[in-house]
Amino acid sequence: MFLRKTPYSVLLLFLSLTLGLYPKSALAETLRYKVSARMWVPEAVEPVPTPDSALQRIERVFELWTSVPKAPMEFKFVGLSAEHYTLPHEIPRDGILRIVLDSDYLFEAPAAHRSRCFGQSPDHYEGGYVFLNVREGLEALSFPVLAHEIGHALGIVGHSPAPAALMNAEGPTWKHWDVRALTEQDQALWVDAWKPEALYRISGRVETGQDQRVPVHAVHVVNGRTYSTRCDAGGAFEILVMRPGRYRLFAKGYESGTLGEPVSQSPSWYMSPGKSTNDPYLGTPIHLSSSTRRIEGVLLAMIDEAPPFSFWETEVEDISAAFLRGGRSAAMKLLYSDGKIRSVEPYGLNPDYTVRAFDPVLNEITVMAKRDADPGHRLFIARGAKGMVQAGLLGVHLVEEPK
């Protein structure tokens, strides 16, 4: 009966959706954007016509943001913007995103860019803007800066503490390389702006007893995949998770080298409301599933004890160390203040990456991703004298091989 009365076009759409054959373009939201017709360059005393190379780089950025399957999106270039905008409030709210390269807007040092999204995505996108201070140099048009600011202008509100994330506030690990891979953390922020029902969430509050916005992490019990956020001034947090599974939560304050003074609280793994342990393997797992997509009201208390040693940074000389593909390895250098680390290891019951060849003199490790490793951030666990354990940095981002 269904086949007899259903129009052919509707039946074709139903079958295509069911079988996954329908083109993405038919299902995606489409947003329009313009780029200012002129831009400043350091060598010029006045704006010059925006070169094709700048337009092509901007186009590649939009291609990157269309690569997230859980939030299908398309972007359409609708021409150059001839208007000269000096202040953000001059941008019309006509549903078009404008990338402004020719402006007299005075940025407060050390800022070199500003962006904003108008309206609520995706129900009512009124447009947005990206102001880039190209007078300070063409580095303002670097791929990561463009992608980061365009992400904000399209609805991503927060930042990620994950070092390799494009939406990291301090600048992504990949710096000025034109890497064509969004981290899972970036994807989670993007999905939250455009299709929030597709995410899993863990929310609660961190009791720090101090005035700091502590990073909070959810770590997959089996393979160590890690999602991160940062609590607000009141300690509230929400971690956006892309995949179901069993996760352990922990919070870790900024250590020496980041703020210039030693950290006074140990990494604190959630056990029960208000109780924590600094042992990464004794924390209580939290289960996210299709029937439990949201966990709320987690109370994570920081442990008021100085950690046994500091482990706060990694130095990456090769971009492959920050973005590691399955079956490949890379060397990384650890920076820590007291030299008490004896060994470094991956996290998880069955981690899909290995840490080997730790050299306590050179402070180097070799990280290798298994051939079938899932994408996402991973952290390191460091051990000191007498087996003292310390949660390490989110040190490596595993990416899929391009198809």
Side-chain angles (χ1 to χ4, degrees):
M1 185 66 66
F2 174 79
L3 293 176
R4 289 181 182 178
K5 293 188 175 182
T6 304
Y8 175 76
S9 60
V10 176
L11 179 60
L12 179 61
L13 172 61
F14 172 79
L15 293 175
S16 299
L17 290 172
T18 304
L19 299 175
L21 301 176
Y22 206 74
K24 177 183 175 181
S25 59
L27 304 175
E29 297 276 349
T30 300
L31 297 183
R32 300 171 295 165
Y33 71 95
K34 288 185 175 183
V35 182
S36 57
R38 302 176 71 80
M39 66 174 285
W40 286 88
V41 294
E43 299 79 13
V45 294
E46 61 182 4
V48 300
T50 302
D52 289 341
S53 59
L55 296 176
Q56 291 167 2
R57 180 170 296 182
I58 292 171
E59 182 181 10
R60 292 205 310 273
V61 168
F62 281 109
E63 290 175 354
L64 184 67
W65 284 117
T66 63
S67 65
V68 184
K70 285 191 175 183
M73 182 68 60
E74 286 189 347
F75 300 98
K76 183 178 181 181
F77 176 60
V78 292
L80 297 172
S81 176
E83 299 90 346
H84 175 88
Y85 299 110
T86 299
L87 296 173
H89 67 75
E90 297 174 356
I91 301 291
R93 299 191 178 191
D94 55 1
I96 297 176
L97 166 64
R98 284 171 172 80
I99 301 172
V100 183
L101 309 177
D102 170 22
S103 170
D104 294 325
Y105 181 80
L106 297 177
F107 291 85
E108 296 180 3
H113 34 71
R114 184 174 180 180
S115 54
R116 184 182 174 187
C117 170
F118 294 143
Q120 297 296 319
S121 306
D123 298 330
H124 188 56
Y125 184 74
E126 298 178 4
Y129 61 79
V130 176
F131 273 65
L132 295 170
N133 190 6
V134 223
R135 298 188 189 195
E136 297 297 324
L138 290 180
E139 64 271 8
L141 272 182
S142 71
F143 193 86
V145 169
L146 274 170
H148 181 107
E149 296 305 325
I150 287 175
H152 282 316
L154 291 169
I156 295 179
V157 178
H159 289 104
S160 169
L166 172 72
M167 300 307 296
N168 182 290
E170 286 74 34
T173 299
W174 40 299
K175 297 179 181 176
H176 297 286
W177 286 280
D178 284 7
V179 176
R180 299 292 191 90
L182 288 172
T183 69
E184 275 211 331
Q185 197 70 68
D186 293 319
Q187 294 185 45
L189 290 169
W190 179 239
V191 173
D192 188 46
W194 290 95
K195 198 176 180 182
E197 67 275 7
L199 289 173
Y200 303 84
R201 301 169 187 269
I202 304 173
S203 62
R205 186 168 57 87
V206 179
E207 289 186 341
T208 66
Q210 300 180 10
D211 184 19
Q212 59 172 316
R213 302 189 178 196
V214 175
V216 189
H217 315 281
V219 189
H220 196 277
V221 170
V222 177
N223 64 8
R225 183 192 298 112
T226 304
Y227 297 93
S228 306
T229 190
R230 182 177 285 117
C231 70
D232 64 18
F237 71 89
E238 181 179 61
I239 303 178
L240 308 175
V241 179
M242 292 282 283
R243 308 187 189 199
R246 289 160 58 84
Y247 293 87
R248 289 191 174 103
L249 295 186
F250 85 101
K252 180 175 187 248
Y254 295 101
E255 299 185 54
S256 60
T258 304
L259 297 178
E261 59 185 26
V263 66
S264 61
Q265 294 178 315
S266 292
S268 306
W269 294 76
Y270 172 80
M271 295 183 70
S272 61
K275 295 183 179 180
S276 300
T277 173
N278 77 330
D279 190 320
Y281 303 99
L282 294 182
T284 303
I286 291 177
H287 190 200
L288 294 171
S289 65
S290 57
S291 59
T292 307
R293 302 186 67 93
R294 182 187 294 266
I295 302 291
E296 299 176 316
V298 176
L299 179 60
L300 206 163
M302 297 296 294
I303 301 173
D304 287 321
E305 296 178 3
F309 45 78
S310 296
F311 182 35
W312 55 271
E313 189 69 76
T314 58
E315 184 177 86
V316 182
E317 297 180 358
D318 189 331
I319 190 62
S320 63
F323 285 82
L324 194 60
R325 301 190 186 280
R328 300 184 184 178
S329 62
M332 301 182 73
K333 177 172 287 190
L334 310 179
L335 306 177
Y336 50 90
S337 61
D338 47 24
K340 296 180 181 179
I341 295 177
R342 298 291 181 263
S343 63
V344 181
E345 63 193 46
Y347 184 90
L349 298 174
N350 185 25
D352 50 14
Y353 63 111
T354 60
V355 179
R356 56 185 174 85
F358 173 65
D359 187 326
V361 177
L362 298 177
N363 302 336
E364 288 184 351
I365 58 175
T366 299
V367 184
M368 183 166 190
K370 295 182 180 179
R371 195 168 299 276
D372 59 348
D374 285 330
H377 285 290
R378 300 297 189 276
L379 58 80
F380 305 133
I381 299 298
R383 292 186 181 273
K386 300 180 181 179
M388 294 295 290
V389 182
Q390 165 77 305
L393 179 76
L394 298 171
V396 63
H397 174 66
L398 307 183
V399 298
E400 295 177 308
E401 284 285 354
K403 298 177 181 178

